[in-house]
Amino acid sequence: MRNWKDLSLIQQVVIGLLIAVSTFAAPEMMILLDFGGMELAFGFLLVYCKPFIVWAQPKINWVSSQINITKVGFLNSALFQPKVFTTHAVFCSVAMILTGSLVLSVGFFLPALLANGLLV
């Protein structure tokens, strides 16, 4: 582990701000700073945050799996096939030119573009 004096100024500022903010939630950090120094206080700050990390990890994994499912769904949809995309893009552009309203053309034709995998 690197010493406090070996850290760059930005790293010292970030760690110092973390310690300063944590003293509002855990006042015992001030005692750790007095007795053990910055290294001990930062080590105990990591131990203090362990329950939050354990609580947040499944939620982060769930969000990343949902993002991956959505990504795979979009990549496998007909929208990403060049001829389907070109046909729909031309059709939506013509609808935009005829109606003169971006909201109207996108509002009515974008769902058909996105749901094309169900229609084809």
Side-chain angles (χ1 to χ4, degrees):
M1 185 173 175
R2 294 166 47 180
N3 288 333
W4 177 253
K5 294 178 184 176
D6 296 337
L7 297 176
S8 69
L9 180 64
I10 295 173
Q11 290 172 330
Q12 287 178 351
V13 168
V14 169
I15 291 173
L17 286 174
L18 284 173
I19 297 293
V21 169
S22 71
T23 55
F24 289 111
E28 60 269 11
M29 286 293 166
M30 293 305 292
I31 296 171
L32 290 173
L33 280 171
D34 287 341
F35 290 135
M38 187 60 85
E39 291 88 0
L40 183 69
F42 187 69
F44 274 95
L45 177 65
L46 292 178
V47 172
Y48 187 76
C49 293
K50 180 71 173 174
F52 173 73
I53 294 169
V54 169
W55 174 81
Q57 192 65 37
K59 290 167 181 34
I60 292 169
N61 290 339
W62 182 80
V63 168
S64 68
S65 70
Q66 295 299 317
I67 289 171
N68 285 335
I69 289 170
T70 305
K71 182 176 116 180
V72 167
F74 275 121
L75 290 176
N76 291 331
S77 73
L79 177 63
F80 282 94
Q81 296 175 0
K83 74 175 188 176
V84 173
F85 177 77
T86 305
T87 305
H88 278 287
V90 168
F91 184 66
C92 287
S93 299
V94 169
M96 165 63 186
I97 291 170
L98 292 178
T99 61
S101 171
L102 181 67
V103 174
L104 184 64
S105 63
V106 169
F108 286 111
F109 298 117
L110 189 61
L113 180 65
L114 293 175
N116 188 35
L118 301 174
L119 301 174
V120 174

